[in-house]
Amino acid sequence: MKMIYQQLMAFFLVIAITIVLLGLSFGRMSKTFVYDNTWSSLEKYSDSLIQHSLKVDSKHNDRVTFNLDKIRMTQSILENQSVHFTVFSAKNRVVYPADGVSPQITKNDWRHLQKDQIVRKVNNKNAKLKNGKTRPAMIEVLKPYYYKKKLVAAVTAGAFISDVNSNVARINRNLVKGLLVALIISMVASFFIARRLNRRIAMLRSGANQVSNGNYKVRLKPGGKDEIGELINDFNRMTASLERANLEIQRQEERRQEFLADAAHEMRTPLTTISGILEGIKYDVIPQESRTKSIELMSEETQRLIRLVNKNLDFEKIRSNSIQLDKRHFNATKVFRNIIDQLSNKAQESNDKLVLNAADDLPIYADYDRFVQIVFNIITNAIQFTNKGTVTITGERGYNETIIKIADTGIGMTVDQQKNIFERYYKADASRRSGKYGESGLGLAIVHQLVKSHGGKISVASKKGKGSTFTIIFPDQTAAEKTKDAPDRNN
Ligand SMILES: Nc1ncnc2c1ncn2[C@@H]1O[C@H](COP(=O)(O)OP(=O)(O)OP(=O)(O)O)[C@@H](O)[C@H]1O
Ligand SMILES: [Mg+2]
């Protein structure tokens, strides 16, 4: 069954049960109310009847007399309101009327009257009297009247139960009408509430379907501060992160394909050169004077292949965490000075100035050889991509870490290039297949893995045409590393 019908049914059940319960209790209340009202009116009528018609003659030993004319008059006035009296003497004898349909006061009721108690009664059925006459069903009140603590009279005042009940029925009819109107209004309101809820659920369903069909761009219109509204917000957050993840997967897939193509290309170039020279030697087509040069070229290409294979192996080793880092404390500034010495010729070739900006003693905790490899690679890149500029090496202490910055004023990179430089084989300028210092696009991939295995961080900030700054952070020795090292020192 559709959800909207389920909800409507549930709403209907709740409302209907509430209305039935309300109706029943109100119905009972209205009956009690009408009956109580009738009884108290009857008492008042009976009081005024006795007031006008009963006389006690104190001169003659408190003799009680009833003025029948006055009783008749009162009766005829109240006849219109269908009130009927029966007046009894203190000896339980009917004084008025003489129509033979007067009620008889039972012994039990008479006992109550003698105790000055008012008796309220409902006779639901027509009563057959001893004389064969019928007394209609009535609602009655029996009231005793006392003079000087002596019972002098009792009055039964009654109204036809059919009249009283027709009043109750009228009230109940109005009540039912009111409740029906309430039922209709609340069902219409429930319908609109259920429809809004269902529309939003249908919207979520269609959104989920679109996501399962691979459309991660779908966003739902937010609305409502209830649980469904929150679900819509969650859904939107979910599709946004799915979209991001999907883009990342696509990017990685593109990089994987590029990587395969690049790897094949990197291997093929030197192999083609070597194979060409070997063919030349085989068929003796290389002139004598070019032979030495050809063999030199072959040797260079072989070296290049070996370097490529070694770099790949190194990368894989670091990546799979199978290298052992021999971390220790040393002075990073000394390392910078050594590297600057080694690279000063290369810097001169590119007309670059190398500037060192670090305290004489800059403590660092790292694997010495790997640290040299990292800094060497980045400074080499900086020189390679900077012409007539400056490469500044800055070293400083941070909070429990050493921060190294290598800034150049070279060609810089776009944001897109910056995202990819730590990937294997990535070269911003793909046409540059070989160069003086960089050739394989593996340098930064290795640097990245090395910094990671040191527990450090590497990042780049760059602007096309303005230059690049690489920042590397090496954390200090941790407490755990200290305790691990301690036994070694004792040995
Ligand atoms: N300082 C820099 N300025 C501009 N571009 C840079 C800089 N450093 C790296 N790049 C870009 O990042 C790419 C990747 O650098 P990486 O060091 O990984 O490879 P490579 O230098 O080309 O080759 P090698 O494996 O020999 O180091 C470079 O080809 C270059 O496009
Ligand atoms: Mg490089």
Side-chain angles (χ1 to χ4, degrees):
M1 201 199 302
K2 279 207 156 196
M3 207 170 131
I4 187 160
Y5 298 127
Q6 290 179 31
Q7 283 169 337
L8 281 178
M9 231 167 78
F11 284 145
F12 177 78
L13 271 177
V14 172
I15 295 167
I17 289 172
T18 315
I19 281 179
V20 166
L21 290 178
L22 265 178
L24 285 177
S25 66
F26 270 113
R28 189 164 293 184
M29 249 169 66
S30 64
K31 192 171 174 184
T32 319
F33 174 75
V34 171
Y35 276 35
D36 278 347
N37 239 2
T38 310
W39 275 319
S40 57
S41 307
L42 287 173
E43 278 176 37
K44 279 179 204 142
Y45 294 145
S46 137
D47 289 349
S48 75
L49 179 87
I50 288 298
Q51 224 169 35
H52 290 113
S53 60
L54 187 128
K55 275 224 162 70
V56 182
D57 194 348
S58 42
K59 283 180 196 152
H60 292 92
N61 200 17
D62 292 342
R63 203 178 61 171
V64 176
T65 51
F66 296 92
N67 185 336
L68 286 179
D69 282 343
K70 285 216 166 139
I71 295 178
R72 264 185 224 112
M73 201 175 76
T74 314
Q75 174 64 74
S76 69
I77 293 169
L78 289 173
E79 194 107 344
N80 292 339
Q81 301 192 29
S82 52
V83 175
H84 298 270
F85 295 110
T86 307
V87 183
F88 294 88
S89 68
K91 296 206 166 100
N92 193 6
R93 264 196 220 111
V94 177
V95 178
Y96 173 90
D99 55 4
V101 289
S102 308
Q104 276 143 5
I105 299 177
T106 61
K107 272 187 186 159
N108 190 30
D109 289 344
W110 191 254
R111 259 199 298 277
H112 284 294
L113 295 179
Q114 279 177 326
K115 286 182 202 158
D116 199 6
Q117 286 168 348
I118 298 166
V119 181
R120 288 176 162 185
K121 294 180 85 167
V122 179
N123 300 319
N124 276 316
K125 285 186 186 145
N126 297 347
K128 276 242 175 299
L129 300 177
K130 278 180 192 157
N131 55 15
K133 292 193 173 175
T134 309
R135 184 176 156 75
M138 286 202 143
I139 170 167
E140 289 174 329
V141 66
L142 267 70
K143 198 169 177 185
Y145 290 91
Y146 279 78
Y147 182 75
K148 291 185 184 165
K149 294 190 176 170
K150 237 178 81 191
L151 182 70
V152 287
V155 174
T156 312
F160 292 136
I161 204 151
S162 52
D163 289 349
V164 178
N165 280 351
S166 78
N167 280 344
V168 174
R170 207 181 56 237
I171 292 175
N172 284 349
R173 264 198 308 280
N174 287 339
L175 190 71
V176 168
K177 271 187 217 157
L179 291 179
L180 274 178
V181 170
L183 178 73
I184 290 166
I185 290 173
S186 47
M187 280 312 292
V188 171
S190 315
F191 172 75
F192 284 111
I193 292 169
R195 195 174 65 164
R196 177 163 182 265
L197 202 69
N198 280 287
R199 275 192 182 157
R200 293 195 297 160
I201 289 173
M203 183 170 81
L204 270 165
R205 245 188 79 195
S206 100
N209 275 336
Q210 290 188 52
V211 170
S212 70
N213 289 334
N215 175 12
Y216 304 123
K217 287 196 162 45
V218 54
R219 300 284 184 281
L220 303 179
K221 200 175 126 216
K225 289 202 162 74
D226 55 1
E227 280 82 350
I228 301 268
E230 279 168 19
L231 189 61
I232 289 174
N233 290 341
D234 289 345
F235 179 90
N236 285 342
R237 267 199 297 278
M238 181 192 77
T239 51
S241 78
L242 275 176
E243 194 184 0
R244 274 198 302 276
N246 192 45
L247 279 177
E248 182 57 27
I249 290 169
Q250 277 175 10
R251 201 180 71 85
Q252 298 231 351
E253 178 57 22
E254 275 166 24
R255 279 298 310 139
R256 199 181 64 83
Q257 285 177 3
E258 275 172 31
F259 163 75
L260 286 175
D262 288 350
H265 187 94
E266 290 299 326
M267 305 279 174
R268 202 168 46 212
T269 316
L271 285 175
T272 316
T273 314
I274 295 165
S275 150
I277 296 169
L278 285 176
E279 288 281 300
I281 293 170
K282 189 172 154 193
Y283 295 107
D284 207 10
V285 290
I286 300 175
Q288 192 63 39
E289 62 274 18
S290 315
R291 273 194 183 200
T292 332
K293 216 180 146 204
S294 295
I295 288 171
E296 242 170 48
L297 184 61
M298 215 159 73
S299 157
E300 248 174 49
E301 288 299 280
T302 317
Q303 288 304 317
R304 194 154 102 86
L305 260 181
I306 291 170
R307 275 201 308 278
L308 196 65
V309 171
N310 281 343
K311 272 191 187 176
N312 262 310
L313 285 178
D314 202 22
F315 177 84
E316 279 307 329
K317 262 200 249 160
I318 304 164
R319 201 179 63 118
S320 59
N321 273 335
S322 54
I323 54 150
Q324 199 66 44
L325 291 179
D326 179 18
K327 285 205 222 171
R328 56 197 170 90
H329 291 101
F330 56 88
N331 181 0
T333 307
K334 263 193 181 168
V335 178
F336 297 148
R337 288 201 181 117
N338 283 343
I339 295 175
I340 288 171
D341 274 351
Q342 283 179 52
L343 290 175
S344 60
N345 281 343
K346 279 163 189 168
Q348 264 167 23
E349 281 170 30
S350 308
N351 290 315
D352 288 335
K353 215 165 79 185
L354 291 178
V355 178
L356 176 62
N357 199 352
D360 278 343
D361 187 26
L362 180 65
I364 193 160
Y365 182 67
D367 180 305
Y368 186 88
D369 292 334
R370 294 302 191 177
F371 178 73
V372 171
Q373 190 182 353
I374 291 167
V375 178
F376 194 91
N377 252 297
I378 296 177
I379 299 179
T380 311
N381 278 349
I383 296 171
Q384 186 186 351
F385 297 105
T386 310
N387 234 332
K388 292 186 195 152
T390 314
V391 175
T392 312
I393 302 136
T394 312
E396 60 194 17
R397 288 285 304 155
Y399 180 70
N400 288 340
E401 59 194 19
T402 305
I403 304 162
I404 292 153
K405 286 189 179 148
I406 295 159
D408 64 56
T409 54
I411 60 169
M413 288 172 264
T414 62
V415 176
D416 215 41
Q417 287 167 351
Q418 290 170 47
K419 269 191 210 153
N420 291 309
I421 51 169
F422 297 114
E423 305 269 358
R424 243 197 303 186
Y425 294 116
Y426 180 81
K427 288 178 226 168
D429 178 6
S431 64
R432 187 182 54 82
R433 289 289 167 195
S434 70
K436 267 182 275 177
Y437 311 113
E439 50 188 7
S440 58
L442 277 166
L444 283 182
I446 293 173
V447 163
H448 185 235
Q449 291 296 337
L450 277 176
V451 173
K452 249 173 57 181
S453 50
H454 272 87
K457 281 186 210 135
I458 180 164
S459 59
V460 63
S462 183
K463 221 171 179 185
K464 190 86 185 151
K466 296 270 181 219
S468 317
T469 302
F470 284 83
T471 305
I472 321 159
I473 297 172
F474 282 91
D476 285 350
Q477 190 178 26
T478 59
E481 282 171 322
K482 273 182 199 158
T483 47
K484 219 173 71 187
D485 279 359
D488 291 334
R489 251 177 250 147
N490 294 337
N491 286 340

